[in-house]
Structures are given as structure tokens and as C-alpha cells.
Amino acid sequence: MAASEQTEVVIVSIFVNPAQFAPHEDYNRYPRNIGQDVAALKALPPRDDGRPRVNAVFAPESVGEMYPRGISLHVPEQVGTFVEVLGLSSQLEGIARPHFFRGVATVVTKLFSAIQPEMAFFGQKDIQQCCIIRALVEDLLMPIKVVIVPTQRDSRTGLALSSRNAYLSEDERAKWAPIFYQGLSGAVQAYESEGERRAAVLLALVRDTIKNTEGSERLDIEYISLVDPATLKEITDSIEDATGAVLCGAWKMGSTRLIDNVLLGVPFVPEDK
């Protein structure tokens, strides 16, 4: 919706990128339903002037179209051209998934080359990815404006919408997975309403809120971090009001790994657009 409100022509890309997956991850079972995706795009309400919200879908029919030399999930076996954004890819998600952002930067560069957009829209839920893509565009002198769109959430529970939510049971989606966001929300309230800026206090609030919520034992917390929005470096003292911070984390429910984040005083997400 944000893209159709800010641009004349919208192209949506749909592609499950093998370069983002390690051999032990869920590439083969990752949710894929191109027909359902296209139907959902067609069902979007038209623009005010009657034109459709989405003008075209870029959906390569085969992996070979995007990786003409082929692609292995084993990085040492890969051949061809790959893109890395150093300095922003090894922390946070990069610890658990060390080759993930190499795959992201590579496929996004390919998509930009194929489509030649003037603007590109990415969801805040993958905030580290957003930072990396902005750096990629700046470093490679691409004439593209990167817009970060606020995270879309379940209206009842606050759970961030994600393809991997399909792995969760109904009870997990409704009752247990949203507990992490409840913890993040407690820190947002302390930051905005109480003026709390101390990193240790905000991080403790997240952990304590989660711990004191019924069902928290179902969450296997991987990390909770408070980081600078530009460098993604850990904030260990206090948040600077001029720059704000990103409060983010990852957890598992059973074998399903999920991520989420909230922004504390960060100016670059257009909340009202």
C-alpha cells in the first residue's frame, strides 16, 4: 500500500532466494504459494483514481533465471558473483545466520538490476536487512530511494506478520508467540512515557515482561539487543536522543525461529505514510 501511495507504477517481486539459506535451514519447505500471493495483490482496493495498487509482479519461474551459473546452499561450492555489505552483516542475525545477508545483498542487487526501480520498499520487521540495503544502495551509487515501511502486525495480538508464522499452531500464533512483542512494547512505553534512556534498564524491562507473562517458558530467547540504527553496534550506556535506537531480538517456538523489533526515537521510518 505504501508503494502505491508514493509512486505511479508498482512492481512486486516474489522469489524465495536460495542464497539466503544454509543447508540445515528450511529452504525446501519455506512457504510458497504464488497463486495465493498474486490473488491477494489483485484483491487490494484500487487507488483513488481507480487504477490497481500493483501494476506488475516480478516472479522468476526458476532459480536459474536469477542464478545462471547455478546455486548451492553450501557457500564453499558456490560460483558466480556475490555481494557483501561488510560491517553490518556479521552482528545480530548475522551471528546465527552468517551467510544470510550475503544472499540478501546479492539477490537485491540482481532485482534492482532487473527492475531498475526509482524507489524500493522494505518492511521494518527485517530491520537489519533494511540497514544493509540502504548501505548497499549508497555504496554502489544506485539512484534508488529505499523506504522502510512499518511492521505489519496481527490486529488482535500484535504478532509481526511473517511467512514463517505459517509453521505455528493456532494457539502459538494467538497466545505464545506475541509474548516477545509484549516485552518490546514495555520498553517502548518506558522510553516514550517515562523518559527512560538507560540501555540496561530497557533491556531488563523486556526480559522481565517476558518472564512474568504466562507461557513465557514456551519461548526460547536467542538474543535481545539494543543497537544504534546506523551502525547496528550495541548500545551499552544510554540512548542518544539525536539518533535513537533499535530494540530487537529473536526467539524460537519449537523449531520455528522468529524475529521482531521496535524503534525508539528513530526518525527514518515514515510512520504516517
Side-chain angles (χ1 to χ4, degrees), residues 187-197 263-265:
V188 172
Q189 181 177 356
Y191 179 88
E192 295 182 347
S193 301
E194 303 167 23
E196 184 59 67
R197 298 293 186 269
L263 305 177
L264 304 178

Side-chain angles (χ1 to χ4, degrees), residues 261-272:
N261 69 81
V262 292
L263 305 177
L264 304 178
V266 177
F268 58 67
V269 174
E271 297 286 356
D272 299 325

Side-chain angles (χ1 to χ4, degrees), residues 4 36 68 91-92 94 127 131 141 167 169 176 189 198 212 225 255:
S4 66
Q36 182 176 320
Q91 58 272 65
L92 303 174
I127 192 67
C131 294
L141 309 181
Y167 298 153
S169 69
W176 317 125
Q189 181 177 356
R198 293 169 294 176
N212 294 328
S225 295
S255 60

Side-chain angles (χ1 to χ4, degrees), residues 141-245:
L141 309 181
M142 296 180 176
I144 300 171
K145 179 182 179 181
V146 176
V147 179
I148 301 174
V149 180
T151 300
Q152 300 297 299
R153 299 185 180 276
D154 185 291
S155 59
R156 299 165 301 164
T157 67
L159 179 65
L161 301 187
S162 168
S163 298
R164 287 192 170 93
N165 289 354
Y167 298 153
L168 302 173
S169 69
E170 185 175 343
D171 274 352
E172 287 173 333
R173 286 196 302 272
K175 298 178 181 178
W176 317 125
I179 292 174
F180 193 89
Y181 179 59
Q182 293 170 24
L184 297 178
S185 298
V188 172
Q189 181 177 356
Y191 179 88
E192 295 182 347
S193 301
E194 303 167 23
E196 184 59 67
R197 298 293 186 269
R198 293 169 294 176
V201 173
L202 291 167
L203 290 169
L205 272 171
V206 179
R207 297 188 185 98
D208 290 346
T209 302
I210 293 172
K211 182 179 179 181
N212 294 328
T213 302
E214 181 183 358
S216 62
E217 69 279 358
R218 295 173 179 264
L219 277 67
D220 179 12
I221 306 297
E222 187 171 301
Y223 70 86
I224 303 171
S225 295
L226 188 69
V227 301
D228 181 279
T231 65
L232 300 181
K233 292 182 179 179
E234 294 281 344
I235 297 173
T236 58
D237 189 9
S238 296
I239 297 174
E240 297 289 340
D241 286 336
T243 58

